[in-house]
Amino acid sequence: MVAGSFTYTIGQMIMNIREQQGITQEKVCNGICSQKMMSRYELWTCIPDRLSLNLILQRLGKSPDHFITLLTKKEYQYFLWKRKIFVALQEDDDAVRQKRLKELFQAPEAKDRTCHRGLQEQFYQYIQGYICQDVDKMKEAIKITVTDYDDGLGRESFIGSTEISYILLYLQTKGGMGTNIKTELRACLDYIERYTVDESERVKVYPRAVCLYCKYIDENIFEKIEYCRKAISLLTGNGRIQELPELLKMMGDALQKISLKDARRYKMQHWALQEVYKAQGMKSGRKDKLLEEFDQEVLLLNEILKTYREERNLNREEVSEDICDVGSYARIESGARGIRKSNYEKLMQRLDIPYGWYTSMLVTDNYECLMLARQGILASKFGDWEKMEMVLKKQKQLLDFEQIKNQQYLMEVENVLLYRTGQKTCDQFQDTAIKALHLTVPNWNIHESIVHFYSKEEITLLNQIAISYRLQRKSDIGVHIIASVYETLEKSAIDLTERAEEAVMLLATWKNLLTDLEEYDEAIEKADRGIKIALQSERGDKLDTLVYEKGWSNIHKNCHDEQDMRENIKICLAAYFISDLYNRERNKKDIKKFLGHYGVKPEF
């Protein structure tokens, strides 16, 4: 049974990381919880709430994004409320902005403290201070967890990326009111570089810190270029967007005095991103950036219970017997009430649910395995097969392959690597992908719809199976697979941006399949939808192919309209420069060849 096998390893993982770094429990948990509670977390006799776990991992330089969090409906409503606050802050019309914020602060979620009283109160006070531009109130909120903060990081400061983001926005708000802003920003940059080891976490705050710091070093153009270059590389290497528009503009302007060719390259990349945002009716510049809580994927407890009960063909009486009364279970499954952790553990066993309160793609207490897995995913996305092979070799030495999830991971990654390097045929690739999927979804087949809650790994395998049918010139079967999986994501109460990586991946494949079938209108619709989700979730690794498909399909659909042709050539040109930005050489080469047919030669 998969259920629970991962849940009980996170505490040990935290303890291992902390001891390896020679850090005391007291230092890690300062402002979060008592040392006694920290001990319980490490022993996993008490499961931390999501806010606590996130900040503990961040303080150890690690990323909570490797974990999927199971939330109750009430908990999810709180995190949605935080997101709405962030969206309201982006509103340009001051009257509309104030009206929306007032409504949000009157909502029940504003006073909710059920996740973590101290950390929720910190956010509430901090954001109230920011709205009023009260830097003293913002500073006091920061000191709830960074107890020694005094307009600069103290010697004993031990902080996570959420706390760094609070400090950065505080310094931005304080601006000219302080005389040491440049020094404080440099201290933040140095801290991030020294202590935030995991790039999944560093990418959230380092580019923002660079953008702020560079405003204070106009006199040193080479220092500005170096910082911007590092930030851009960090973002593109992790397939993210975030501060790219601002950084690309800074680089283009700075290099104008040094290298016109390099300056033009950055300017064209900036132009391409701006065009994509403009086409979606969205703004590229994010003002008032706060670190959102939703880079980490979340699942709803009530949806998991309902889906697994239906998949097992059990009624509520059978599931709840000897655990809780049927009425209570019905309210839990509807999301009307929460559940005791002990009862959930019993339900996990009864329904064979593979999701604990925190789950990852691997069963391990070795954090290095999770970092390597993320590196492997990125290597696959950008076609770096040499790096992917290196990651796989290390994983084989570290993972316990008696665990089904680890077996599935190994089969999936090795299968892609062997196919992409020409060591497997398409038929062999498809056969292995189906075998890997059957490890956890034994009753799946292309002819029947089944009730199942698809994990991220299972969705990846289904996407690969759909691609294999495309390669066999059976795109209609691929469309059927992708459509049925995507439907399960749409049916969830969880916003698609919370599962953006899977959604964008599926849409990128879907539009290719539809193009094969010459269903151009649908292909354009899927590309547009993928672009929107990619921009909302600030994920850029599939952006070039989605944008290119939109232009390519429109050209094939309206090939006799000269004005339409020009507009869509421009879209394809934007896709070319986005490919260049993210170092996606194969796509870049294909787009360049296509544009050449129309006499367009992309140049820097």
Side-chain angles (χ1 to χ4, degrees):
M1 185 179 75
V2 179
S5 57
F6 185 81
T7 301
Y8 296 105
T9 63
I10 301 178
Q12 184 64 51
M13 183 185 289
I14 290 170
M15 185 187 297
N16 292 344
I17 297 168
R18 182 181 60 74
E19 290 180 347
Q20 286 167 10
Q21 296 182 8
I23 302 166
T24 64
Q25 287 181 336
E26 184 179 12
K27 198 167 185 179
V28 173
C29 70
N30 181 39
I32 303 173
C33 63
S34 67
Q35 188 174 345
K36 185 177 180 180
M37 184 59 73
M38 182 68 190
S39 293
R40 290 176 179 172
Y41 290 163
E42 290 188 345
L43 295 171
W44 216 244
T45 56
C46 185
I47 299 176
D49 61 89
R50 175 179 160 165
L51 293 174
S52 295
L53 182 66
N54 282 5
L55 196 47
I56 287 167
L57 284 165
Q58 289 172 4
R59 286 184 173 185
L60 293 168
K62 310 303 181 184
S63 178
D65 296 357
H66 297 295
F67 305 98
I68 300 170
T69 307
L70 197 64
L71 294 177
T72 65
K73 191 173 181 179
K74 184 177 181 181
E75 288 170 329
Y76 182 56
Q77 289 302 315
Y78 169 71
F79 289 109
L80 278 182
W81 173 80
K82 289 185 73 173
R83 168 169 287 181
K84 290 173 184 175
I85 290 286
F86 173 69
V87 171
L89 288 170
Q90 307 309 301
E91 176 58 54
D92 287 330
D93 187 309
D94 188 58
V96 174
R97 185 177 190 238
Q98 293 300 327
K99 181 176 181 291
R100 289 180 182 173
L101 287 170
K102 183 179 180 181
E103 289 171 352
L104 285 167
F105 277 100
Q106 289 174 345
E109 291 82 9
K111 298 296 182 181
D112 179 31
R113 301 292 183 270
T114 54
C115 296
H116 187 294
R117 178 170 294 277
L119 297 180
Q120 287 177 272
E121 183 62 27
Q122 180 184 47
F123 177 79
Y124 183 85
Q125 290 185 21
Y126 180 87
I127 201 65
Q128 287 276 26
Y130 174 68
I131 291 169
C132 301
Q133 295 291 283
D134 185 340
V135 292
D136 291 332
K137 191 169 185 176
M138 293 172 73
K139 180 179 174 181
E140 287 306 307
I142 291 169
K143 293 181 74 170
I144 289 174
T145 55
V146 189
T147 53
D148 65 342
Y149 184 72
D150 189 18
D151 285 342
L153 300 182
R155 287 186 178 181
E156 299 302 316
S157 292
F158 198 65
I159 57 178
S161 55
T162 298
E163 293 161 316
I164 291 172
S165 73
Y166 287 166
I167 290 170
L168 291 175
L169 187 55
Y170 163 71
L171 293 174
Q172 177 183 317
T173 306
K174 187 178 174 185
M177 294 162 57
T179 56
N180 298 313
I181 302 296
K182 178 181 175 181
T183 303
E184 293 169 34
L185 288 169
R186 179 60 184 267
C188 287
L189 281 167
D190 291 344
Y191 185 93
I192 296 165
E193 289 182 333
R194 282 199 314 272
Y195 296 113
T196 309
V197 180
D198 193 332
E199 283 195 356
S200 299
E201 203 62 23
R202 185 186 298 187
V203 74
K204 297 176 184 176
V205 286
Y206 187 78
R208 183 71 248 153
V210 166
C211 287
L212 293 175
Y213 180 64
C214 284
K215 293 177 182 178
Y216 291 88
I217 54 170
D218 281 336
E219 72 285 354
N220 192 335
I221 193 169
F222 292 102
E223 185 182 11
K224 176 182 281 192
I225 289 170
E226 182 58 26
Y227 269 114
C228 286
R229 199 187 305 277
K230 285 194 289 186
I232 291 169
S233 177
L234 181 64
L235 285 163
T236 56
N238 284 276
R240 305 299 302 212
I241 299 175
Q242 277 115 298
E243 281 76 21
L244 273 177
E246 187 175 350
L247 288 163
L248 291 171
K249 186 176 187 310
M250 278 198 282
M251 277 292 276
D253 292 344
L255 285 166
Q256 194 74 23
K257 303 173 185 177
I258 300 171
S259 169
L260 289 176
K261 183 178 179 180
D262 288 341
R264 176 170 168 75
R265 185 173 195 166
Y266 285 106
K267 285 178 181 292
M268 292 310 296
Q269 291 170 353
H270 177 258
W271 166 82
L273 280 180
Q274 295 287 78
E275 283 295 307
V276 175
Y277 274 100
K278 187 167 68 174
Q280 290 294 322
M282 298 169 66
K283 293 180 290 185
S284 63
R286 303 177 309 155
K287 62 182 181 180
D288 314 331
K289 171 58 182 168
L290 289 168
L291 182 66
E292 293 180 85
E293 299 289 348
F294 272 84
D295 279 340
Q296 184 182 349
E297 289 195 25
V298 297
L299 304 176
L300 282 181
L301 181 145
N302 60 298
E303 288 186 351
I304 294 287
L305 289 173
K306 182 179 180 181
T307 305
Y308 274 85
R309 178 180 63 77
E310 291 177 347
E311 184 174 8
R312 273 46 172 178
N313 198 26
L314 298 171
N315 59 41
R316 290 172 175 172
E317 288 80 4
E318 291 169 315
V319 171
S320 60
E321 186 179 0
D322 300 327
I323 297 175
C324 61
D325 66 76
V326 178
S328 295
Y329 178 80
R331 288 191 293 276
I332 291 166
E333 195 178 275
S334 69
R337 60 167 291 179
I339 186 175
R340 291 204 304 269
K341 290 178 173 59
S342 59
N343 281 352
Y344 179 65
E345 299 289 345
K346 293 173 185 175
L347 290 169
M348 283 174 64
Q349 294 179 9
R350 181 159 295 173
L351 295 170
D352 198 19
I353 298 173
Y355 298 100
W357 295 102
Y358 302 103
T359 312
S360 181
M361 65 190 300
L362 297 172
V363 180
T364 181
D365 60 5
N366 188 336
Y367 188 85
E368 184 185 356
C369 290
L370 302 182
M371 289 179 65
L372 285 168
R374 186 60 189 160
Q375 290 171 23
I377 290 170
L378 290 169
S380 178
K381 286 181 177 180
F382 296 113
D384 189 343
W385 311 122
E386 188 176 332
K387 183 174 182 180
M388 195 173 174
E389 187 173 12
M390 177 272 292
V391 166
L392 189 60
K393 186 177 179 180
K394 286 185 179 180
Q395 293 284 55
K396 286 181 177 180
Q397 297 170 351
L398 297 171
L399 284 172
D400 172 12
F401 288 107
E402 289 187 8
Q403 298 287 344
I404 292 175
K405 287 185 73 173
N406 295 350
Q407 292 173 27
Q408 188 177 64
Y409 165 81
L410 176 65
M411 287 179 70
E412 185 266 315
V413 174
E414 195 165 41
N415 191 37
V416 171
L417 180 62
L418 292 174
Y419 175 70
R420 291 296 189 183
T421 54
Q423 299 174 66
K424 271 194 174 187
T425 66
C426 176
D427 289 347
Q428 290 170 329
F429 172 71
Q430 183 183 90
D431 184 56
T432 303
I434 292 173
K435 285 179 180 176
L437 181 64
H438 281 165
L439 288 175
T440 53
V441 197
N443 57 338
W444 180 87
N445 67 71
I446 61 171
H447 305 294
E448 297 179 22
S449 296
I450 61 170
V451 176
H452 185 74
F453 190 95
Y454 289 106
S455 70
K456 187 174 185 177
E457 296 73 46
E458 291 161 355
I459 290 174
T460 299
L461 285 164
L462 286 162
N463 186 67
Q464 291 169 5
I465 294 167
I467 290 171
S468 71
Y469 277 109
R470 183 189 185 211
L471 296 169
Q472 295 172 347
R473 300 185 183 280
K474 298 176 182 177
S475 292
D476 55 329
I477 297 176
V479 166
H480 171 72
I481 293 170
I482 296 294
S484 62
V485 179
Y486 194 84
E487 185 182 6
T488 66
L489 296 182
E490 286 191 311
K491 283 182 176 179
S492 173
I494 293 287
D495 192 279
L496 271 178
T497 51
E498 264 70 88
R499 301 191 76 181
E501 194 163 6
E502 298 103 292
V504 171
M505 174 183 67
L506 291 172
L507 288 164
T509 300
W510 203 349
K511 53 85 178 171
N512 286 338
L513 294 162
L514 290 165
T515 301
D516 295 340
L517 300 172
E518 297 186 1
E519 295 179 11
Y520 297 123
D521 285 335
E522 281 198 58
I524 292 165
E525 188 272 327
K526 298 300 181 288
D528 251 334
R529 195 188 307 182
I531 292 166
K532 185 174 183 179
I533 295 173
L535 296 180
Q536 287 174 335
S537 60
E538 301 185 313
R539 297 178 184 276
D541 52 276
K542 296 284 186 185
L543 195 57
D544 59 336
T545 186
L546 290 163
V547 173
Y548 178 47
E549 189 67 42
K550 182 179 176 181
W552 189 94
S553 293
N554 265 313
I555 286 171
H556 282 73
K557 177 187 167 187
N558 303 307
C559 58
H560 303 298
D561 188 315
E562 187 176 340
Q563 183 176 352
D564 188 78
M565 180 74 75
R566 285 198 299 269
E567 281 300 310
N568 286 295
I569 289 290
K570 188 166 81 168
I571 292 172
C572 293
L573 194 61
Y576 174 84
F577 289 114
I578 294 170
S579 297
D580 182 59
L581 173 62
Y582 285 98
N583 299 306
R584 288 166 60 87
E585 292 301 321
R586 182 177 174 181
N587 284 9
K588 184 178 166 184
K589 184 179 178 180
D590 290 345
I591 298 170
K592 186 175 183 178
K593 183 178 178 180
F594 176 75
L595 289 169
H597 293 314
Y598 299 94
V600 178
K601 294 182 179 180
E603 295 178 358
F604 300 114

